[in-house]
Amino acid sequence: MCGIVGYISKKENPNTLKLGLEALKRLEYRGYDSAGFAFWDRNKKEIVCQKAVGRIINLEKKVNNNYTSVFANPLILHTRWATHGGVTEDNAHPHFDCQKNIYLVHNGIIENYTELKKELLKEGHQFSSDTDTEVVVHLIEKFFQGNLEEAVRKALSRLKGTYGLVIMSKKDPNKIVAAKLGSPLLLGLGEDEFLIASDPAAVIAHTKKVIYLDDGEIAIITPDNFSILKEKQPEEIEWELEETQRGGYPHFMLKEIMEEPGAIENAIRGRLVEEEGVVKLGSLDSMTERLRKMNRLVLVACGTAGYATQVGRYMLEEYAGIPAEVDSGSEFRCRKSILSKDTAVIFVSQSGETADTLASLKEVKKKGNLTIGITNVVGSTQARETDVGFYTYSGPEIAVASTKAFIGQLTSLALLTVYLGRQREMSLIIGKRIISELKKLPDLAREILKQTPQIKEITKKYKDFQNFWFIGRKYNYPIALEGALKLKEISYLHAEGVGGGELKHGPIALIDENFPTVALCPSDSVYEKMFSNIQEIKARKGPVVVIATQGNEEIKKIADDVIYIPKTLEMLTPILAIIPLHLFAYYMATLLGCDVDKPRNLAKSVTVE
Ligand code: AGP
C-alpha cells in the first residue's frame, strides 16, 4: 500500500532530494498518512533522516529547501499507509537501528514481528516505533558485519510475511540493497543513475527501462552497477510520462473519467475480427485446446474489480454458456474451494498487486487449475504469475477511486465472453453483433460525457442528503454496487447498492423523503421490473435519480431527475451506465470539499491482507 523510492547515481547532482521527492509524489496515491526520507551526506559522512506526518508536502515544508546543495546519494524515500502503529512521525519510515547506522523503507507486513521483537528486545535492541517494520532493521543490525547484503540476506531468512524493502547503511554507504517478497519492486535503469521503486510511475520521468524483481530476489545497486541474484533482461514501460500527470484537470479522477472512451478503445484495439465474429486475445491463443475444455469458470477479484467480475459472470453465462461464479479475493483465499480440473479461474485486477487476489492465485496454482489474468499494469505480479491473460491497457490510473480501469475491465470481460463463446455455441451472427456494438461504445461513452454539466447540476440538488440507495437488476445490479462504492469512497456519504428485487425484502423500510435512490433503469429485459421498483420508492416519497435509455419519455413522469445513456446491447449497458455514476460521485465529493484523489483511509493498491 505504501510507496517506496530509492535512488543512487554516479552523477554529482545536488538536486537529488528534489528529484526523489518528485518521484515519491507520483506514488502518493498509494499511501499518504506520513512520509520520510534518509540519505547519505558524503561531506558530513552521516545519514540525514527526516519524517513528517501527513502528505509529502508537509515533509517538503519541514525540509524547507535545507538540502538543496547537498548531494543526497544514495537516497531512500517512503510514503506510508498505516497498518501497524498509528500515524505518527516515529511510525513513519525510514526506520533505523539502535546505532542509527542502517535505514530502511518497507512495504508489506511482517507477520512474525511480535516474536522477533520480543527476541530482539531481550538482546538489548531499543525500538522507537510501534511498527512491524522496525524489527527488520534491528535484525539487519544484529547480523551486520561490514557487508550490507550479507546482513540483509540473513535477516530475510527470519521473516514471515511480505516485503518490498530498500535499505542503506552508513557502514557500507556506497550501495542500496533491495529485496522483494509479495510486494512489488522494480529497478529503473537510467543514464548513470538507478531508481528503485514500488511502482513504474515513480521512475518513468527518468527511464522506461526497468527490471521487475521477482519474489525472493535481492538487488545490490551501486552508482556504477547492479546485481540481482539471477540474470534478467530489462523490459520497457509502456506508459508515457504525460499520462501520469493531471493534464489541466483539477483532479486525476476527473481526467480519468474523461479518458473512459479511450479506455474502451485501448481495450478493443487490434483485437476484433468483425467479419469472423471473433476476438484475438494474446496469450490465450497458446491454450486454445485447454480453454475449449473448460466447463466452469470462477472469477476472483476485489472491490471495484470484483464488481466488474460480477458483470462478467452474467456475460459469460449468457453468451459463452459457461457456468460461472464470482468470489472476492479476500474470501476465496480463506475458504475451501472445490475446483474440478476443467475449471479455469479468472483474476481481475487493475494493479495486479492486490494481496488478496494474489494469495487466491497462489492457492489456485497449487491445485494446478488454469489461471487467466486480466490486468492493467504491465509486468505486475498478477500478469506474470497467471498462466495466460491479457491487459486492459487502460493507461495509468492514479486516483484512488477506480474509474477508467473499471471500464477497461468490463470491456475486457466482454472480449473474453466473445472469445470463449465463439469456441463454443455462440453463433457467427451473435459474435459479429457484439463486436459491432463494442466498436460503437467509445463514441456512445463520449455522448454521455457531453452531459457532464447537467450531471453536475443534478448532483448539486442531492448534496445535502446523507444516505443513498443505488438499485439495479441483472447486468446493472453490480453497477448499483459499484455506484454506491464510488460515492462512499470519495464523499464519505452513506451509500448502499441493492438489487431492485431485494428492496421490498427489507431495505425499503428506510425510504422516505430524506433517502434518495439512484436507479439504473435502462430499456432492457428487466426494465418493467425496475420501473415498478421506482414506483414503489416514489409511493414512499423517496427522491429518485434514474439512469435511463435515450428516448424514454415515460420515465420522466415518475423520476425526480433523469440522466440518459445511449442504447446498446444489454450486456454492454453497464459500460455506459457507470459513467454518469462516476461523475455523480466525483461532483458530490468536490461539492462537499473532499480530497477526491486521495480519500481518507484508502490507498490505491491494497498490497496487504
Ligand atoms: C476502487 O475504487 C477501489 N479503490 C478498490 O475497490 C479497488 O478496486 C480494489 O482494491 C482492487 O484493486 P485492483 O483492481 O488493483 O486489484
Side-chain angles (χ1 to χ4, degrees):
M1 320 268 283
C2 311
I4 291 182
V5 177
Y7 180 86
I8 187 161
S9 159
K10 248 193 198 170
K11 301 180 200 170
E12 294 285 329
N13 178 2
N15 284 323
T16 315
L17 182 57
K18 193 165 170 250
L19 176 158
L21 286 167
E22 286 306 319
L24 191 67
K25 276 189 201 157
R26 293 185 199 286
L27 304 189
E28 199 173 28
Y29 68 101
R30 297 185 67 122
Y32 33 84
D33 290 339
S34 51
F37 62 79
F39 66 79
W40 173 243
D41 183 337
R42 190 187 296 170
N43 297 330
K44 293 194 179 151
K45 300 250 173 299
E46 63 178 24
I47 289 181
V48 176
C49 178
Q50 291 278 353
K51 306 178 189 188
V53 165
R55 303 285 160 91
I56 297 170
I57 186 111
N58 294 355
L59 182 63
E60 283 180 318
K61 279 185 196 150
K62 195 166 175 190
V63 169
N64 191 23
N65 292 330
N66 270 345
Y67 307 109
T68 41
S69 55
V70 179
F71 185 31
N73 187 24
L75 165 69
I76 61 176
L77 308 101
H78 188 269
T79 175
R80 178 172 188 243
W81 188 88
T83 57
H84 296 62
V87 180
T88 63
E89 250 178 52
D90 284 341
N91 290 337
H93 300 220
H95 289 288
F96 43 82
D97 62 328
C98 305
Q99 304 302 320
K100 296 200 172 171
N101 283 332
I102 305 163
Y103 285 74
L104 64 74
V105 290
H106 169 227
N107 181 15
I109 289 182
I110 307 303
E111 287 166 5
N112 58 338
Y113 86 100
T114 326
E115 58 189 83
L116 289 173
K117 192 165 176 175
K118 233 185 249 166
E119 170 188 322
L120 289 157
L121 282 169
K122 241 192 220 160
E123 290 170 9
H125 288 262
Q126 280 160 7
F127 281 74
S128 46
S129 79
D130 308 316
T131 64
D132 54 331
T133 301
E134 201 184 343
V135 296
V136 186
V137 76
H138 288 281
L139 271 181
I140 300 173
E141 177 181 34
K142 167 174 166 163
F143 294 120
F144 191 86
Q145 283 177 341
N147 177 299
L148 183 58
E149 61 268 30
E150 270 317 304
V152 170
R153 221 185 292 245
K154 285 183 185 149
L156 296 184
S157 70
R158 300 289 316 277
L159 302 181
K160 284 196 190 124
T162 55
Y163 49 77
L165 285 162
V166 182
I167 311 140
M168 59 188 286
S169 167
K170 187 175 163 180
K171 301 269 177 192
D172 195 0
N174 221 13
K175 70 172 64 139
I176 281 181
V177 175
K180 170 189 162 21
L181 189 77
S183 284
L185 217 50
L186 58 97
L187 173 64
L189 314 178
E191 230 173 81
D192 291 333
E193 61 184 3
F194 297 105
L195 285 107
I196 186 115
S198 49
D199 190 312
V203 310
I204 44 177
H206 304 273
T207 181
K208 292 179 113 187
K209 208 181 261 182
V210 295
I211 288 177
Y212 294 95
L213 296 195
D214 284 332
D215 277 349
E217 288 187 337
I218 299 178
I220 301 121
I221 313 139
T222 66
D224 303 296
N225 217 335
F226 69 92
S227 58
I228 302 179
L229 289 185
K230 67 179 184 234
E231 199 50 37
K232 303 187 83 183
Q233 286 306 314
E235 294 172 43
E236 287 277 319
I237 300 176
E238 297 189 3
W239 295 348
E240 297 302 326
L241 178 60
E242 307 77 68
E243 290 183 289
T244 65
Q245 292 164 339
R246 277 212 313 263
Y249 286 96
H251 298 101
F252 277 109
M253 183 175 174
L254 185 59
K255 175 182 178 250
E256 287 158 8
I257 295 171
M258 294 302 154
E259 287 169 348
E260 288 178 341
I264 306 170
E265 275 163 351
N266 292 345
I268 61 176
R269 184 170 300 120
R271 288 172 164 168
L272 308 179
V273 189
E274 194 172 353
E275 4 16 293
E276 292 172 35
V278 294
V279 160
K280 291 202 173 307
L281 284 180
S283 70
L284 266 66
D285 287 339
S286 64
M287 287 266 179
T288 36
E289 280 322 304
R290 195 156 173 211
L291 284 165
R292 231 184 277 276
K293 283 196 203 126
M294 293 298 135
N295 56 20
R296 184 170 157 243
L297 299 170
V298 177
L299 296 104
V300 178
C302 293
T304 291
Y307 296 140
T309 61
Q310 291 193 22
V311 176
R313 173 202 179 178
Y314 289 127
M315 291 175 176
L316 288 157
E317 289 196 327
E318 184 164 4
Y319 284 94
I322 314 173
E325 64 187 79
V326 165
D327 209 347
S328 68
S330 48
E331 283 303 309
F332 185 91
R333 67 180 295 187
C334 297
R335 70 175 171 88
K336 174 177 173 183
S337 51
I338 302 168
L339 302 172
S340 63
K341 77 172 176 10
D342 291 331
T343 299
V345 187
I346 303 169
F347 297 89
V348 180
S349 171
Q350 187 287 127
S351 60
E353 302 294 350
T354 298
D356 286 324
T357 309
L358 291 179
S360 304
L361 170 59
K362 213 169 179 179
E363 275 303 302
V364 175
K365 287 186 79 168
K366 273 188 202 141
K367 296 180 197 321
N369 287 75
L370 179 66
T371 57
I372 304 173
I374 300 179
T375 319
N376 188 34
V377 178
V378 176
S380 57
T381 308
Q382 180 177 290
R384 284 180 291 126
E385 297 289 316
T386 37
D387 296 313
V388 288
F390 58 100
Y391 289 111
T392 55
Y393 292 127
S394 311
E397 190 179 67
I398 308 293
V400 165
S402 187
T403 53
K404 65 171 178 172
F406 180 63
I407 299 269
Q409 289 161 352
L410 294 174
T411 311
S412 300
L413 285 159
L415 295 177
L416 184 65
T417 301
V418 178
Y419 185 95
L420 296 175
R422 290 290 283 136
Q423 288 186 331
R424 293 167 174 76
E425 275 102 42
M426 185 189 284
S427 68
L428 170 65
I429 307 290
I430 297 293
K432 281 168 96 166
R433 177 83 208 283
I434 299 174
I435 289 176
S436 119
E437 292 298 320
L438 271 168
K439 281 184 168 170
K440 291 181 202 156
L441 276 185
D443 283 337
L444 301 186
R446 283 186 189 101
E447 270 183 50
I448 300 172
L449 290 175
K450 280 188 199 144
Q451 298 176 62
T452 299
Q454 292 92 300
I455 296 172
K456 185 177 179 182
E457 285 312 303
I458 291 175
T459 312
K460 276 185 192 163
K461 288 169 63 178
Y462 293 86
K463 76 171 181 24
D464 296 323
F465 290 99
Q466 296 304 309
N467 302 291
F468 288 82
W469 281 123
F470 283 70
I471 62 167
R473 280 176 187 252
K474 203 176 162 186
Y475 282 104
N476 284 300
Y477 163 55
I479 298 305
L481 303 182
E482 170 59 9
L485 176 75
K486 213 87 301 171
L487 187 64
K488 74 179 100 166
E489 267 190 303
I490 59 168
S491 70
Y492 317 138
L493 292 173
H494 172 234
E496 297 300 335
V498 65
E502 279 297 301
L503 208 57
K504 52 176 110 40
H505 296 287
I508 203 163
L510 297 176
I511 299 281
D512 63 14
E513 62 276 24
N514 296 315
F515 207 129
T517 300
V518 178
L520 291 137
C521 187
S523 306
D524 59 11
S525 64
V526 287
Y527 173 75
E528 281 79 16
K529 292 187 196 308
M530 279 301 300
F531 194 86
S532 302
N533 292 143
I534 297 169
Q535 281 177 317
E536 288 154 12
I537 296 167
K538 286 313 303 172
R540 286 153 187 89
K541 298 194 174 56
V544 185
V545 182
V546 180
I547 310 300
T549 305
Q550 262 163 17
N552 180 354
E553 291 299 316
E554 175 192 39
I555 202 81
K556 282 187 181 160
K557 293 184 198 138
I558 57 165
D560 294 84
D561 291 285
V562 183
I563 302 171
Y564 285 110
I565 58 169
K567 177 101 192 122
T568 182
L569 272 187
E570 180 172 4
M571 73 171 260
L572 302 177
T573 320
I575 303 176
L576 298 180
I578 191 62
I579 299 174
L581 303 193
H582 284 163
L583 287 166
F584 186 78
Y586 171 76
Y587 283 113
M588 187 66 84
T590 51
L591 287 165
L592 298 178
C594 301
D595 189 345
V596 177
D597 284 340
K598 298 189 185 82
R600 73 182 179 208
N601 304 340
L602 299 179
K604 184 67 182 164
S605 315
V606 185
T607 54
V608 294
E609 275 179 46

